[in-house]
Amino acid sequence: MSTLLLLTSALQPSAEVLPGLALLGHQVRILPAEGSALLEAPDSDLLLVDGRQDLAHARDLCRLIRTTGTDVPVLLIVTEGGLAVVNHDWGMDDVVLHTCGPTELEARIKLAIGRLNAQRDAADPDAHVIRSGEVVVDDATYTAKIGGRTLDLTFKEFELLKFLAQHPGRVFSRQQLLQEVWGYDYFGGTRTVDVHVRRLRAKLGPENETLIGTVRNVGYRFVVPAKEKAASDDARTVEERRQDA
């Protein structure tokens, strides 16, 4: 699930601006299609700019976004008529028709975010390594270790561990995990998640199986090791005192 910002001047919900978006599981926040809205815009994984009604204004907004220095991908929403006049120098990363279906839209979002992540990984060789306590997940080599011991994981077990370790402490429902790890085109039941969690815990070993915590009637989360959490809390306290000084 990604966080998306939709910049639009239309007095409509996101489902009316881009109907396919309502069928996806992303978190969408709507802001006015004005440069001033960008000043206090929350962090996001991707920007959607509504160019259905005022394409010239949307073009200028895309160009303005690029002057802010952000590298967040920008998708311009256009009509079929607008598609005929868009140009590469407008500053967007991709264009999408407002009638675009959810499958195509999801693919374009993933590709745009994926390209940005690849660029960031190239600039930071360790960006693909996830560390949480004694768990080390290397997304480039598809290897996972705990306490220096390499885990013999299937592809989905690896993806499940990686996703949970990327969001330590955050609780995900079984349905969310199905969408994020197995994909929107997977038609199996949520029981699949329980089976993979059980297998993953077995491979982590008795001393580490509690790293994958169960939240009753909700789902699962990656449990932050106590020592790591304490160190993080101490660092946050020091930073808050520094800011208050």
Side-chain angles (χ1 to χ4, degrees), residues 109-187:
I109 291 173
K110 283 189 174 181
L111 286 171
I113 295 176
R115 284 192 294 267
L116 175 60
N117 289 337
Q119 293 171 1
R120 290 174 174 174
D121 288 350
D124 182 3
D126 290 330
H128 58 271
V129 178
I130 303 164
R131 292 184 173 86
S132 189
E134 293 189 329
V135 174
V136 179
V137 179
D138 191 326
D139 195 23
T141 61
Y142 280 91
T143 58
K145 297 181 178 180
I146 183 164
R149 173 173 62 90
T150 300
L151 300 173
D152 182 17
L153 304 178
T154 65
F155 177 73
K156 286 303 181 185
E157 290 167 355
F158 174 85
E159 289 292 312
L160 179 59
L161 177 61
K162 180 185 76 172
F163 182 76
L164 290 172
Q166 281 178 315
H167 307 88
R170 182 174 171 182
V171 180
F172 293 94
S173 69
R174 292 168 176 80
Q175 188 61 46
Q176 286 176 315
L177 291 173
L178 274 180
Q179 293 175 350
E180 295 294 341
V181 178
W182 278 263
Y184 289 93
D185 56 348
Y186 181 77
F187 294 104

Side-chain angles (χ1 to χ4, degrees), residues 43-239:
D43 292 337
S44 63
D45 300 304
L46 182 138
L47 295 174
L48 293 158
V49 178
D50 183 8
R52 298 171 305 149
Q53 298 176 356
D54 191 343
L55 192 56
H57 177 71
R59 174 201 62 198
D60 294 341
L61 183 57
C62 288
R63 288 174 172 171
L64 177 62
I65 291 171
R66 286 301 171 225
T67 65
T68 64
T70 181
D71 58 356
V72 173
V74 177
L75 265 61
L76 176 61
I77 305 168
V78 297
T79 61
E80 288 192 13
L83 192 61
V85 299
V86 292
N87 200 295
H88 71 279
D89 65 352
W90 287 18
M92 71 286 182
D93 294 271
D94 200 357
V95 294
V96 59
L97 285 172
H98 69 106
T99 55
C100 175
T103 302
E104 179 185 349
L105 180 59
E106 178 68 8
R108 290 179 181 273
I109 291 173
K110 283 189 174 181
L111 286 171
I113 295 176
R115 284 192 294 267
L116 175 60
N117 289 337
Q119 293 171 1
R120 290 174 174 174
D121 288 350
D124 182 3
D126 290 330
H128 58 271
V129 178
I130 303 164
R131 292 184 173 86
S132 189
E134 293 189 329
V135 174
V136 179
V137 179
D138 191 326
D139 195 23
T141 61
Y142 280 91
T143 58
K145 297 181 178 180
I146 183 164
R149 173 173 62 90
T150 300
L151 300 173
D152 182 17
L153 304 178
T154 65
F155 177 73
K156 286 303 181 185
E157 290 167 355
F158 174 85
E159 289 292 312
L160 179 59
L161 177 61
K162 180 185 76 172
F163 182 76
L164 290 172
Q166 281 178 315
H167 307 88
R170 182 174 171 182
V171 180
F172 293 94
S173 69
R174 292 168 176 80
Q175 188 61 46
Q176 286 176 315
L177 291 173
L178 274 180
Q179 293 175 350
E180 295 294 341
V181 178
W182 278 263
Y184 289 93
D185 56 348
Y186 181 77
F187 294 104
T190 55
R191 178 64 179 167
T192 297
V193 177
D194 297 330
V195 172
H196 280 73
V197 167
R198 186 171 66 250
R199 292 174 179 171
L200 183 55
R201 283 171 171 165
K203 293 182 178 181
L204 287 171
E207 67 280 11
N208 296 302
E209 63 180 9
T210 54
L211 288 175
I212 309 298
T214 300
V215 180
R216 192 173 182 180
N217 297 326
V218 181
Y220 299 100
R221 66 187 177 98
F222 188 89
V223 179
V224 181
K227 291 182 179 179
E228 180 179 330
K229 186 177 187 301
S232 176
D233 291 344
D234 289 345
R236 187 180 300 110
T237 299
V238 170
E239 180 62 25

Side-chain angles (χ1 to χ4, degrees), residues 20-33:
L21 192 59
L23 301 177
L24 303 179
H26 302 296
Q27 180 182 1
V28 182
R29 300 191 63 175
I30 300 177
L31 292 177

